Amino acid sequence: MEQLPVFDFYNDQAIDTPDFPSSLIEADIDGDGDLDILALNAQRVDSVDGDYFNHYILLNEEGKFQFENPLMFQSGERLGDAAFGDLDNDGDLDIYTTSYWRGEDSVYLNTGNQFNILNQNETYEHEDGLVELVDIDDDGDLDAIVTTQSHNYQDPPQNPTQVRLNDGSGQFANSVTLGRSSRTVDTAIADVDGDGDQDYFQRSYERGLEFFENQGDGSFAEGEAINIGTTIYSFDLGDIDGDGKDDLVVLHQDKPEEVLEMGALSWLERNGDSWQIEGDHFWNGLIPYNQDIELGDVDGDGDFDVLIGGGAEKSYFPEVHYDVQPARVVHNAGLSPFENVVEKELKRNNIETPIIDPYDLSLVLADIDGDGKDEPIISSFFNEGQDITIWDNDPLLFLPVVVRNFS
């Protein structure tokens, strides 16, 4: 592996966003052709009229995020996840949300200058978690795949993943179920077999990473476990080799006998009815326990690079003290997929106080300034506060240009 390059850093602007932005979702929310950011807020506002949560949409103005009179919506419960899509077929993006603690979903319809609740607290049998939007039954509108969860361990797992069909107006109803787990922590949709419909992936603590093939008629095949011989921590999908079919990139335990904080990256391709690892892993190094990855093109060369979250997670194993690992980009620098990689750390030298117990909560790779290169965007917890950082990118540099501390 090549030596790490030397970096310079500067700060250019601040984003004034919620007190605890635990999750970031990117989309062109105002329809002006650039990517905006929704920051889900996990900080409750206490009120005599009832507690609530404010969630903010940061509008992108030529690569700068403005926070004067932002688009905003409120929820009575902490949200577990959110997804953007045109849910009522009127040409703009609406929001589907899940509740963190209850089986209550909401749809917020976009009216042009605000989001109005269509059906608040649609109650289901199980607590909801993550959501993906995709047209499952091929009727021209977006349906929802929603994981359900328990905050207590179950043996055997009882919580199904629900397919909820849209009637075209933003009203959803349960259809089929996909597998069961106590808690699903990662999901994705992608076309891995090149048949034109979207397949579904989910990772849970009990069952690991599973693949559900879309049958093209509104149903999915039984879940297929993806086993590579070591624990999979995170995954993402993209067409790595340019064959028109999405491939799978996984962050996993380097070797079965290795300690948990030694990780590796590998990519897999769907061949017929099985998954095949393409060569040996293309990167390995120290990682925080159970950290996420995100695929994107950071240098605009047309191939995928990998963003790995950083931190020093201790909550799962209090007796183990990990070294702090920064977020980093594994840059695909070869002519063949991941033939040569360069690792680039994303540093925060703008933080004057020592960083204590950091952990990256949400990762995004998105081209926010229209230069054809994806910028890393990370929401992080450290020093008993939070920040959102956006690094500008250059073929040789990663420069943090947006920093906001929420301590």
Side-chain angles (χ1 to χ4, degrees):
M1 184 178 296
E2 299 182 33
Q3 295 294 317
L4 294 179
V6 178
F7 303 105
D8 295 323
F9 299 85
Y10 71 92
N11 299 323
D12 184 49
Q13 61 173 309
I15 302 178
D16 190 4
T17 55
D19 297 334
F20 206 94
S22 59
S23 185
L24 307 176
I25 301 101
E26 80 278 11
D28 182 9
I29 301 167
D30 53 3
D32 64 351
D34 55 30
L35 290 175
D36 312 297
I37 296 175
L38 166 63
L40 295 185
N41 184 12
Q43 180 65 47
R44 182 180 61 208
V45 177
D46 298 323
S47 169
V48 294
D49 297 324
D51 300 342
Y52 60 92
F53 295 78
N54 283 324
H55 309 285
Y56 294 86
I57 292 171
L58 309 178
L59 294 180
N60 185 346
E61 301 291 341
E62 297 182 352
K64 308 291 185 181
F65 287 92
Q66 306 299 327
F67 200 69
E68 296 180 3
N69 302 315
L71 290 176
M72 181 182 71
F73 67 93
Q74 293 181 348
S75 64
E77 297 287 339
R78 177 178 171 181
L79 298 183
D81 196 14
F84 283 96
D86 184 4
L87 303 179
D88 55 358
N89 290 313
D90 66 349
D92 54 30
L93 293 180
D94 312 300
I95 308 174
Y96 189 111
T97 69
T98 66
S99 172
Y100 184 78
W101 291 108
R102 303 181 184 182
E104 297 178 347
D105 292 3
S106 297
V107 170
Y108 296 81
L109 294 183
N110 188 342
T111 63
N113 57 3
Q114 62 183 347
F115 287 90
N116 294 330
I117 292 178
L118 172 65
N119 53 332
Q120 185 175 20
N121 297 336
E122 185 71 23
T123 302
Y124 298 96
E125 179 181 358
H126 301 277
E127 300 171 12
D128 286 344
L130 305 176
V131 58
E132 300 282 353
L133 296 177
V134 60
D135 184 5
I136 295 168
D137 51 2
D138 201 25
D139 64 350
D141 55 42
L142 290 175
D143 308 300
I145 303 176
V146 181
T147 68
T148 61
Q149 64 185 8
S150 172
H151 292 275
N152 299 312
Y153 180 76
Q154 299 171 333
D155 188 16
Q158 300 297 315
N159 295 86
T161 294
Q162 298 276 2
V163 173
R164 295 176 181 160
L165 298 180
N166 186 354
D167 67 1
S169 68
Q171 301 282 354
F172 290 80
N174 277 343
S175 177
V176 299
T177 61
L178 306 175
R180 292 180 181 272
S181 70
S182 294
R183 186 172 178 83
T184 298
V185 293
D186 207 357
T187 63
I189 53 175
D191 182 9
V192 298
D193 49 11
D195 62 357
D197 52 39
Q198 298 294 304
D199 308 300
Y200 175 69
F201 296 78
Q202 68 178 28
R203 183 178 67 88
S204 64
Y205 290 137
E206 302 91 352
R207 304 181 66 87
L209 180 56
E210 294 180 285
F211 163 63
F212 297 82
E213 186 176 2
N214 190 331
Q215 302 295 287
D217 59 359
S219 67
F220 290 82
E222 290 291 324
E224 173 188 329
I226 299 176
N227 188 347
I228 63 171
T230 61
T231 301
I232 294 176
Y233 300 135
S234 183
F235 71 97
D236 201 1
L237 292 120
D239 185 2
I240 302 300
D241 54 2
D243 65 353
K245 298 182 292 184
D246 288 325
D247 307 299
L248 182 63
V249 175
V250 294
L251 176 66
H252 60 94
Q253 188 179 4
D254 190 8
K255 298 176 182 178
E257 65 272 15
E258 292 281 4
V259 292
L260 286 173
E261 66 265 29
M262 194 65 176
L265 286 170
S266 299
W267 74 279
L268 297 82
E269 187 172 24
R270 183 75 171 172
N271 289 318
D273 294 329
S274 64
W275 290 92
Q276 177 180 332
I277 293 183
E278 298 296 328
D280 198 0
H281 62 254
F282 60 85
W283 174 90
N284 67 347
L286 292 174
I287 59 170
Y289 178 73
N290 210 36
Q291 189 47 270
D292 288 335
I293 63 172
E294 188 82 8
L295 291 180
D297 184 3
V298 300
D299 55 357
D301 65 353
D303 56 34
F304 282 103
D305 311 295
V306 186
L307 170 63
I308 306 175
E313 174 61 49
K314 299 178 183 180
S315 61
Y316 290 95
F317 304 100
E319 71 279 5
V320 177
H321 295 276
Y322 297 114
D323 292 333
V324 174
Q325 299 300 321
R328 69 205 80 179
V329 168
V330 177
H331 170 223
N332 185 0
L335 296 177
S336 299
F338 299 113
E339 179 183 21
N340 296 305
V341 298
V342 178
E343 177 185 321
K344 297 184 178 183
E345 293 184 358
L346 304 181
K347 298 181 179 180
R348 292 182 174 92
N349 69 350
N350 54 291
I351 305 297
E352 296 180 357
T353 59
I355 297 178
I356 301 172
D357 293 343
Y359 197 74
D360 292 339
L361 298 171
S362 185
L363 312 179
V364 169
L365 273 177
D367 182 8
I368 62 168
D369 56 6
D371 65 352
K373 299 178 291 185
D374 292 333
E375 283 77 36
I377 308 171
I378 301 179
S379 172
S380 307
F381 175 88
F382 59 88
N383 297 5
E384 299 183 353
Q386 279 201 275
D387 81 353
I388 294 175
T389 303
I390 301 178
W391 284 265
D392 196 4
N393 50 21
D394 179 274
L396 298 178
L397 306 175
F398 277 103
L399 312 176
V401 298
V402 182
V403 176
R404 170 65 179 174
N405 192 296
F406 303 97
S407 58

